[in-house]
Amino acid sequence: MILDYETLKFIWWLLVGILLIGFAITDGMDMGVGNLLPFVGKTDEERRVVINTVGPHWDGNQVWLITAGGAIFAAWPAVYAAAFSGFYMAMMLVLFALFFRPVGFDYRSKIGDARWRNAWDWGLFTGGFVPALIFGVAFGNLLQGVPFYLDELLRPHYQGSLLGALLPLLNPFALLAGVISVAMLTAHGGTWLMMRADHAIAERARKAVVLVGAVAVAGFALAGVWVAFGIDGYRIVSMPPTDALPNPLGKTVVVEAGAWLDVYTNYPFAILAPVAGFAGLLGMIGLAWMGRGGLAFVSSAVGMTGIIMTAGASMFPFIMPSSIRPDSSLTAWDAPSSHLTLTVMFWAVAIFLPLVLTYTVWCYRRMWGRVTVAEIEQRAGSAY
Amino acid sequence: MFDETFIALSRWQFAATAMYHFLFVPLTLGLSWMLFIMESVYVMTGKVIYKDMTKFWGKLFGINFALGVTTGLTMEFQFGTNWAYYSHYVGDVFGAPLAIEGLMAFFLESTFIGLFFLGWEKLSKRQHLLVTFMTALGSNLSALWILVANGWMQNPVGAEFSAETMRMEMTSFAEVVLNPVAQVKFVHTVAAGYVTAAMFVLGISAYYMLKGRDMAFARRSFSVAAGFGLASVLSVIVLGDESGYELGDVQKVKLAAIEAEYHTEPAPAGFSIFALPDEEAMESRAAIKVPWMLGLIATRSVDEQVTGLTDLMDEHAVRIRHGIIAYEALEKLRAGDESGDTLASFEANKEHLGYGLLLKRYTEDITTATDAQVAQAARDSIPPVAPLFWTFRVMVGIGFLMLFMIAASFWYSMRRTIQHKRWLLKLMLWGIPLPWIACEVGWFVAEFGRQPWAIGEVLPTFLAASSLTTGELIFSLTGFITFYTFLLAIELFLMFRFGRMGPSSLGTGRYHFERDPGPLATPAE
């Protein structure tokens, strides 16, 4: 094994981050487009234009989400177990909302009835809005700690069930995180429509990007202040060596105000993450203002990367802190798989991710070009 | 100590969502290759009818595929949501094929499928054919990796329990991938998917021939499906028999349960065509047996025995007692006692740890289990026999029935007299549901026959579930059933609508309803 265990643990923390960023840039774009669909498309043809800008790609894009789920299972089984079951009710809502997308895209235009099509449009909206909101809310809760603990068999247990588990997730800070998530994905989808949709739609999308982008910037700034002064962070006091066999119960953790800012003192360059978040979003707003859709898209991608990295870096090495028994928290050092599995999965990613990116780019290039109302009218039978 | 209702609901939810998912998977696996075959003919000969065939069957493929993706999302996440302890306990091994499935297969299939539907105008002929091929390859590769994962649940090779991390850890990736159970299951499953797609195209083409419309389109589709189907149905049967051999080797309990063989017979054992399994008395009554047959299938010999369930239970009782010792040693190790004796005792017995865990259903503290509890756990170590016995026979029976149907279709298709064989065309039309029934009962045999284990002889199912509440399970199960039923109804509505409309739905102006506009040929498409 070429890479030692400690290095691999860190690489996998980065790789999960990369998969989440890939998800935000690709599938997040589709979700943003879904959020804008009922508002920027005034007629049926215009809505079909909006849908067909992402029509050939949404399914491949969604695999970023599926692969992120699979990669967390393989690389951090303890996190996959504790987070997915701990957020059970929220996960179910995400799944139910996501159900509308594959069928929405494929079935919507197969029947001419206006009510049928309108219903699927709102289905596509739901499939974008609800997951975007809940993923943000989940991040907001990770930053505050989640009420779970591990027993001596390492089985995760949680506080609360049904609404008793769901409602506490919807606290003010988490809702703010949800708003940031919805706003940044919607703006990102808007920049895509600026590039790829017919001009009238692109113009409406441009206004949306400026407006929603401003919400995202304000939300991100407010969240930063809140993390610094309003919510407690987690800090490891003692733990086994970073290359030890993972034991999530082997460390001592304290809860302290401002602990989430430790990383910026210990590693000053980490400040680049929030800087990229602000610069990317502000750049996106400015470029959209000037009508430069392509550059606004790139800038938005930079901004989302910065925001996701800010959340990840502030918590490092924590992945899922426990609010009721902080020592049960899961970290990048004590939640990973074995050395062998991390190695195998590292090579799988190293081989397949570049391949995926290559043919994804090929597919986007083949389908490139502005989708127009005239084109949709001409291809009414075969387009989505 | 475990809430039986909660465990039952968890299992129902998994069974319901997995079986729903598998309503859509087999058609995708097979139809994608048939689309590739049809389109290849188009690219090689330039005959437009083959392009129309690719597009029309592709349309039905898309309607099916959308629900395959929808229900597949659930599958990727519900190990974590509902089987959290499973995810922790075996994620180190089981997660890897799942993640590789995403990276290697889902990306390939899903990135190209959009271009299959929407790229006809933007791609050259060869580029589009490449796209179709990549879609088919991707969907079949996904079957490979999910069956590597499932094969490992049946026969967990290449992994070892670690007392330090309290979970199974991978010791050899090659062993996990080359697991003989996984390999055999993969080919059996994809071949079953190919048969499903063949039966689907045969049945719908037969409908057009019965109606006497779009004959050229229907006959060509029928021949492609008959040829593809014949090769596939033969593979399914041969590889199903190979599965029987693998079972005899590594899943003796499942084999004995399928055969309702309660007591070990002298070799070579007979194969029961009919029997009435009596679960209480542990006897099968009124058995009609084909001499030697089971022995030949399961052991490929005439002198090796196929062990009966009562004898397996006795073996398991012994293993449960060793499991208690392993658990006792594990508790000491976890408490910090790393003396030579403890280590030696753990190493000597850890392969039986899973059997010890079966006792968790009856007592929190395994180490003080009573003889009665050991006996109960041993009784649990074999699955209920009658459901397995019968579903297996339904699967095999349908398999042979489809062999006959497809072979006859192939024969008359070759002789170009198929359009006159109305009895066969009707049989093919009404036979469309058969492969789905066979696939579903096949999975039932595979998964119900694995009980009581989530991971064979390693982790009992009841222990694998998340710490949720019954209320949460009722909420989610109701949600899944409501959504899936609603979506399935819409899917079937579209399938029937476009199936009835046929190639006229393409709007090329070349087909039946377009020449003679009927009520179904609305301009919606």
Side-chain angles (χ1 to χ4, degrees):
Chain A
M1 300 192 197
I2 306 168
L3 294 162
D4 63 61
Y5 200 17
E6 182 186 19
T7 312
L8 270 170
K9 285 179 182 178
F10 181 70
I11 287 176
W12 264 101
W13 180 81
L14 285 175
L15 284 178
V16 171
I18 287 170
L19 288 172
L20 290 177
I21 290 165
F23 158 73
I25 293 175
T26 59
D27 200 25
M29 166 186 97
D30 303 333
M31 290 178 172
V33 168
N35 291 346
L36 291 170
L37 171 68
F39 310 109
V40 298
K42 303 286 183 198
T43 63
D44 180 55
E45 282 75 23
E46 284 189 354
R47 288 191 179 179
R48 291 187 74 175
V49 167
V50 172
I51 290 168
N52 278 281
T53 62
V54 290
H57 308 301
W58 74 269
D59 196 7
N61 293 345
Q62 180 171 266
V63 179
W64 285 91
L65 173 66
I66 296 170
T67 302
I72 292 175
F73 196 175
W76 296 339
V79 175
Y80 179 82
F84 285 29
S85 59
F87 290 136
Y88 189 73
M89 296 296 285
M91 285 296 298
M92 290 301 129
L93 294 181
V94 167
L95 276 177
F96 296 159
L98 286 174
F99 288 167
F100 287 112
R101 295 195 329 145
V103 276
F105 281 111
D106 196 73
Y107 293 178
R108 178 200 183 274
S109 298
K110 284 199 158 46
I111 301 283
D113 184 76
R115 280 165 307 175
W116 166 276
R117 291 190 171 183
N118 195 45
W120 285 119
D121 290 343
W122 284 99
L124 288 171
F125 172 83
T126 309
F129 184 81
V130 172
L133 180 72
I134 292 182
F135 290 146
V137 167
F139 257 98
N141 280 287
L142 288 181
L143 279 156
Q144 299 171 82
V146 182
F148 81 101
Y149 68 91
L150 303 173
D151 68 16
E152 71 286 353
L153 289 172
L154 300 186
R155 172 191 283 275
H157 298 270
Y158 328 92
Q159 215 168 46
S161 74
L162 287 163
L163 287 179
L166 189 62
L167 291 180
L169 298 181
L170 303 174
N171 57 71
F173 178 78
L175 284 174
L176 174 65
V179 168
I180 297 170
S181 167
V182 171
M184 74 182 194
L185 296 186
T186 306
H188 187 59
T191 62
W192 172 258
L193 290 176
M194 285 178 68
M195 258 194 294
R196 293 290 312 276
D198 213 344
H199 293 285
I201 301 162
E203 177 53 25
R204 285 176 216 134
R206 189 182 72 84
K207 289 178 184 149
V209 172
V210 174
L211 188 73
V212 183
V215 173
V217 174
F220 188 48
L222 181 58
V225 176
W226 206 325
V227 166
F229 304 106
I231 63 170
D232 292 340
Y234 292 73
R235 183 178 291 145
I236 294 175
V237 182
S238 71
M239 63 170 226
T242 48
D243 60 353
L245 291 172
N247 173 16
L249 298 175
K251 63 186 172 306
T252 317
V253 171
V254 293
V255 184
E256 251 177 56
W260 284 152
L261 300 181
D262 286 359
V263 67
Y264 304 102
T265 325
N266 299 339
Y267 307 96
F269 64 86
I271 199 74
L272 285 174
V275 167
F278 279 115
L281 289 184
L282 290 170
M284 171 191 76
I285 295 171
L287 290 159
W289 189 269
M290 292 187 281
R292 304 292 299 272
L295 288 172
F297 181 85
V298 174
S299 192
S300 162
V302 171
M304 292 198 301
T305 305
I307 290 173
I308 293 169
M309 283 172 54
T310 304
S314 303
M315 291 171 66
F316 186 84
F318 287 93
I319 302 163
M320 187 171 170
S322 162
S323 57
I324 48 176
R325 281 194 210 165
D327 292 354
S328 278
S329 299
L330 297 171
T331 74
W333 306 123
D334 60 24
S337 289
S338 64
H339 195 177
L340 175 62
T341 300
L342 290 188
T343 308
V344 168
M345 289 312 302
F346 170 77
W347 288 111
V349 173
I351 293 166
F352 286 106
L353 204 56
L355 272 175
V356 167
L357 291 173
T358 309
Y359 60 66
T360 300
V361 167
W362 185 84
C363 287
Y364 272 85
R365 288 175 62 107
R366 302 292 355 154
M367 303 303 289
W368 201 254
R370 216 173 262 281
V371 181
T372 62
V373 171
E375 183 194 344
I376 290 295
E377 282 168 352
Q378 189 207 331
R379 297 200 296 131
S382 61
Y384 275 154
Chain B
M1 63 167 287
F2 279 85
D3 180 347
E4 300 284 339
T5 318
F6 170 73
I7 300 298
L9 284 171
S10 300
R11 289 182 58 193
W12 272 106
Q13 180 167 311
F14 194 91
T17 51
M19 291 178 100
Y20 250 105
H21 181 52
F22 215 76
L23 288 175
F24 311 104
V25 174
L27 189 60
T28 303
L29 291 174
L31 199 48
S32 57
W33 286 126
M34 282 170 60
L35 294 173
F36 176 67
I37 294 169
M38 292 170 183
E39 195 176 347
S40 299
V41 178
Y42 164 61
V43 171
M44 287 187 290
T45 65
K47 287 184 183 159
V48 175
I49 194 166
Y50 283 96
K51 184 184 184 183
D52 291 346
M53 279 159 64
T54 314
K55 278 193 163 182
F56 172 69
W57 296 112
K59 198 182 269 279
L60 300 190
F61 175 82
I63 294 169
N64 171 74
F65 187 83
L67 273 197
V69 174
T70 302
T71 52
L73 281 165
T74 307
M75 301 308 294
E76 187 81 15
F77 295 106
Q78 74 171 336
F79 293 103
T81 53
N82 290 84
W83 303 94
Y85 197 58
Y86 173 99
S87 303
H88 157 77
Y89 205 83
V90 299
D92 194 72
V93 195
F94 186 85
L98 238 61
I100 296 174
E101 181 186 27
L103 282 165
M104 185 191 217
F106 286 152
F107 265 122
L108 194 63
E109 172 188 38
S110 304
T111 305
F112 284 104
I113 192 145
L115 274 71
F116 172 82
F117 295 125
L118 301 170
W120 287 101
E121 285 90 354
K122 300 217 176 195
L123 301 167
S124 72
K125 273 189 193 177
R126 280 165 194 282
Q127 282 174 340
H128 195 279
L129 183 63
L130 177 73
V131 161
T132 311
F133 176 77
M134 290 299 185
T135 306
L137 180 67
S139 60
N140 280 264
L141 280 175
S142 85
L144 171 67
W145 287 103
I146 198 64
L147 286 160
V148 165
N150 181 266
W152 190 78
M153 294 169 75
Q154 317 280 350
N155 181 34
V157 291
E160 201 175 35
F161 182 80
S162 155
E164 289 91 345
T165 55
M166 280 299 283
R167 66 185 181 195
M168 295 296 287
E169 293 196 343
M170 201 191 285
T171 53
S172 162
F173 182 61
E175 271 184 56
V176 173
V177 175
L178 301 175
N179 184 349
V181 174
Q183 299 299 321
V184 171
K185 280 181 84 90
F186 167 63
V187 270
H188 183 62
T189 308
V190 292
Y194 302 168
V195 173
T196 307
M199 291 290 289
F200 177 79
V201 174
L202 286 169
I204 295 175
S205 304
Y207 168 74
Y208 303 141
M209 286 195 249
L210 285 168
K211 292 271 169 191
R213 52 183 227 226
D214 299 326
M215 292 300 280
F217 183 94
R219 283 222 332 254
R220 280 181 175 81
S221 301
F222 197 91
S223 329
V224 171
F228 184 75
L230 187 61
S232 310
V233 77
L234 288 170
S235 314
V236 170
I237 292 171
V238 170
L239 294 159
D241 164 68
E242 192 64 24
S243 302
Y245 177 53
E246 285 303 333
L247 284 184
D249 203 23
V250 298
Q251 289 190 287
K252 294 181 165 44
V253 177
K254 193 191 277 182
L255 179 72
I258 285 171
E259 291 312 319
E261 187 174 275
Y262 286 105
H263 306 289
T264 311
E265 285 183 48
F271 177 89
S272 308
I273 291 178
F274 180 90
L276 296 173
D278 182 337
E279 309 270 0
E280 286 301 311
M282 303 204 72
E283 293 284 354
S284 9
R285 303 188 196 288
I288 302 170
K289 293 202 168 204
V290 182
W292 284 36
M293 180 111 157
L294 175 60
L296 288 174
I297 292 175
T299 67
R300 297 275 191 270
S301 75
V302 292
D303 52 1
E304 282 178 57
Q305 285 182 339
V306 177
T307 318
L309 289 168
T310 47
D311 298 301
L312 288 166
M313 267 170 52
D314 293 343
E315 286 174 24
H316 297 164
V318 176
R319 294 193 65 177
I320 290 167
R321 293 195 185 280
H322 283 289
I324 296 173
I325 303 171
Y327 190 84
E328 222 167 2
L330 177 63
E331 279 192 325
K332 284 186 193 160
L333 285 173
R334 298 285 297 172
D337 165 14
E338 297 199 347
S339 66
D341 281 357
T342 314
L343 274 173
S345 155
F346 181 68
E347 285 302 322
N349 293 291
K350 77 173 178 184
E351 62 174 303
H352 308 292
L353 180 65
Y355 279 92
L357 293 177
L358 283 175
L359 287 164
K360 279 266 181 192
R361 189 167 169 190
Y362 301 107
T363 168
E364 175 62 34
D365 185 7
I366 291 176
T367 52
T368 58
T370 62
D371 286 349
Q373 286 169 333
V374 171
Q376 267 179 314
R379 184 73 182 76
D380 288 348
S381 71
I382 59 164
V385 169
L388 288 166
F389 182 86
W390 287 114
T391 47
F392 179 78
R393 274 149 191 76
V394 169
M395 176 183 77
V396 173
I398 292 178
F400 281 102
L401 178 60
M402 289 192 299
L403 173 63
F404 162 74
M405 291 166 74
I406 294 174
S409 297
F410 183 77
W411 174 253
Y412 291 116
S413 194
M414 286 298 101
R415 301 194 55 175
R416 301 181 183 278
T417 54
I418 182 67
Q419 63 273 29
H420 307 304
K421 306 291 171 198
R422 295 188 71 83
W423 65 270
L424 182 57
L425 295 175
K426 280 183 189 159
L427 187 61
M428 297 317 290
L429 174 61
W430 291 104
I432 290 178
L434 288 175
W436 274 273
I437 298 170
C439 286
E440 295 287 333
V441 293
W443 272 112
F444 178 84
V445 171
E447 303 308 291
F448 195 75
R450 174 168 43 79
Q451 302 306 322
W453 304 105
I455 301 291
E457 304 187 335
V458 166
L459 181 67
T461 306
F462 68 87
L463 206 58
S466 300
S467 314
L468 298 166
T469 60
T470 306
E472 283 169 314
L473 256 293
I474 291 172
F475 168 79
S476 56
L477 186 53
T478 312
F480 281 118
I481 290 175
T482 311
F483 270 95
Y484 281 8
T485 307
F486 169 69
L487 293 172
L488 182 65
I490 293 171
E491 196 252 13
L492 288 174
F493 162 71
L494 288 172
M495 272 293 187
F496 274 95
R497 185 186 169 99
F498 285 96
R500 286 201 176 114
M501 212 190 290
S504 307
S505 62
L506 296 174
T508 59
R510 285 190 283 273
Y511 295 97
H512 182 76
F513 289 119
E514 297 166 300
R515 287 189 295 246
D516 172 26
L520 283 166
T522 54
E525 257 299 319

